[in-house]
Amino acid sequence: MASKPLVGAIDQGTSSSRFLVFNPKTAEIVVQHQVEILQKLPQAGWAEEDPKEILHSVIECIEKACDKLKQLKIDVSSIKAIGVSNQRETTIVWDKKTGLPLYNAILWLDLRTQSTAEKLINNAPNKNKNVLQEKTGLPISTYFSAVKLRWILDNVEKVRKAVAEGRALFGTVDCWLIWCLTGAQESGVHCTDVTNASRTMLFNIHTLKWDPDLCKFFDIPMSILPEVRSSSEIYGLMRCGTLAKVPISGCLGDQSAALVGQMCFKPGQSKNTYGTGCFLLSNIGEKPVISQHGLLTTLAYKMGKDKPAVYALEGSVAIGGAVVRWLRDNLHIISTAEEVEKLAASVGSSYGCYFVPAFSGLYAPYWDPTARGTICGLTQYTNRNHIAFAALEAVAFQTRESCSIPKGSPTKLLVARSNLNQCNSSLDI
Ligand SMILES: Nc1ncnc2c1ncn2[C@@H]1O[C@H](COP(=O)(O)OP(=O)(O)O)[C@@H](O)[C@H]1O
Ligand SMILES: O=P(O)(O)OC[C@H](O)CO
């Protein structure tokens, strides 16, 4: 008897890559594999990843998940389609002739563009950081791809040369992965979807097209931008590995994917996801609403070429699970992320210690790139357990703040999910 059709999902996040194989009828996960990604922090505020490592981690996850399927005696040819979801805004420029990246991926939470963003705001009428909000749904901030791309064009000679010679391609992580997996130099498809495009600040969220005026504002050559497609259509076929010839037929920025995954299809339905950052998205239907209170307006999904675009309001928190990684990698007070729960639970309170993990400035609703993290309220009594508790409490405080920003329509349902949720203390807080 033929095996039941399955669907594969690439989830390329800031901290890790995953490949999950689902039964599309029941949404049950059949197998999955996950690989952590190395983050390079070459200077204070800078955060990069190697695009080749990102790609290889995804390929490793696909191959290992397929091995697990084989161990379960399930034919890998049961995987009929693959979807891509990805950390958004992270900016990659590569050479279409060599297939190689021309610079490391600049991560969404990188702060190197603080002065670029400040300069743009100072030149805007009334120094208004929301001068592009009507068109893009976003404030001028270090967060979005356009300023990162501007920085690369200003600072990386190799990229300038490749642009002049017509060899450079720009893309967010979805775009890089789809181009590589559909054949790179030979047959790579250079495309992105509307949800990812809406995080670049070069995309008009009303016309659903790259906007020449926005490109002029940031002085970005339109020739390097990918084609913008819907979130659900066949972009191309896998050209390598065990899943060669399987169509890649879905693409959504990870927070939009989470909204879809939680089936928040009606206006007012919302989800909050805890990964590296923490993102509350609320479905607002087919008309974009511009927030007066520091929320972003973003594309939620467009489920086919001829299907309507659906929008969301978003409360973004840059540092969620990343604070736990910082306790592990920088303070070394835990050796695995899971341990944080034991430490926090052992005290049950921070005893007046507060942790503001503004490592990447503050996002919604402040949009202040100059903010920096702090731990305060320390006494001689404070130990690592209290700091662990305060770190988890900080994620909860930031979430509460996102939930309390007025959204224009009441939230009817809020679903919370992800890795940090495995940590019961964080949910209890
Ligand atoms: N059990 C846990 N308890 C608390 N934090 C965790 C736990 N597991 C992972 N994390 C944190 O969550 C983040 C990873 O979550 P993940 O969903 O893989 O992120 P992303 O999608 O951004 O790659 C890391 O920053 C890590 O420190
Ligand atoms: O890596 P995550 O899952 O925290 O998601 C990152 C966001 O897409 C950044 O906008």
Side-chain angles (χ1 to χ4, degrees), residues 31-48:
V31 288
Q32 60 174 310
H33 191 79
Q34 182 172 9
V35 170
E36 191 168 307
I37 304 283
L38 182 76
Q39 278 175 20
K40 297 165 196 272
L41 310 169
Q43 289 189 35
W46 292 33
E48 301 175 355

Side-chain angles (χ1 to χ4, degrees), residues 27-160:
E28 173 203 1
I29 298 173
V30 184
V31 288
Q32 60 174 310
H33 191 79
Q34 182 172 9
V35 170
E36 191 168 307
I37 304 283
L38 182 76
Q39 278 175 20
K40 297 165 196 272
L41 310 169
Q43 289 189 35
W46 292 33
E48 301 175 355
E49 284 170 4
D50 178 352
K52 294 197 297 306
E53 185 189 337
I54 292 177
L55 172 66
H56 293 146
S57 71
V58 167
I59 293 173
E60 182 184 340
C61 289
I62 293 176
E63 294 304 324
K64 293 266 168 65
C66 286
D67 288 347
K68 290 179 189 174
L69 270 186
K70 287 177 199 156
Q71 282 161 22
L72 293 174
K73 307 232 175 320
I74 299 173
D75 194 341
V76 288
S77 67
S78 312
I79 301 178
K80 302 297 181 199
I82 295 174
V84 178
S85 92
N86 56 289
Q87 51 171 315
R88 307 164 300 168
E89 303 94 14
T90 293
T91 298
I92 306 178
V93 183
W94 67 96
D95 186 325
K96 67 178 171 195
K97 294 260 159 66
T98 64
L100 296 174
L102 290 161
Y103 195 70
N104 272 337
I106 301 188
L107 296 197
W108 55 275
L109 41 64
D110 182 288
L111 272 184
R112 80 187 63 190
T113 54
Q114 193 177 322
S115 63
T116 316
E118 275 165 10
K119 219 181 288 162
L120 290 167
I121 295 168
N122 285 335
N123 291 339
N126 303 324
K127 303 199 174 179
N128 177 7
K129 66 174 159 230
N130 288 321
V131 67
L132 305 177
Q133 196 190 11
E134 272 302 321
K135 259 191 184 174
T136 64
L138 314 170
I140 297 175
S141 151
T142 54
Y143 184 17
F144 309 107
S145 315
V147 281
K148 300 179 197 295
L149 187 51
R150 183 68 258 142
W151 186 94
I152 293 176
L153 290 165
D154 286 340
N155 292 281
V156 186
E157 175 55 30
K158 241 165 76 168
V159 171
R160 273 202 298 271

Side-chain angles (χ1 to χ4, degrees), residues 12-15 86-89 108 143 199 253-255 273-279 314:
Q12 204 304 301
T14 318
S15 303
N86 56 289
Q87 51 171 315
R88 307 164 300 168
E89 303 94 14
W108 55 275
Y143 184 17
R199 314 299 294 191
D254 59 3
Q255 302 309 323
T273 313
Y274 305 83
T276 304
C278 184
F279 302 88
E314 172 175 325

Side-chain angles (χ1 to χ4, degrees), residues 200-230:
T200 59
M201 254 200 141
L202 302 171
F203 186 71
N204 184 318
I205 60 171
H206 308 276
T207 63
L208 306 182
K209 291 192 165 80
W210 297 123
D211 189 292
D213 292 336
L214 292 169
C215 292
K216 209 155 146 200
F217 183 89
F218 291 103
D219 195 12
I220 303 292
M222 293 183 81
S223 57
I224 67 173
L225 304 180
E227 186 188 351
V228 185
R229 313 266 290 260
S230 75

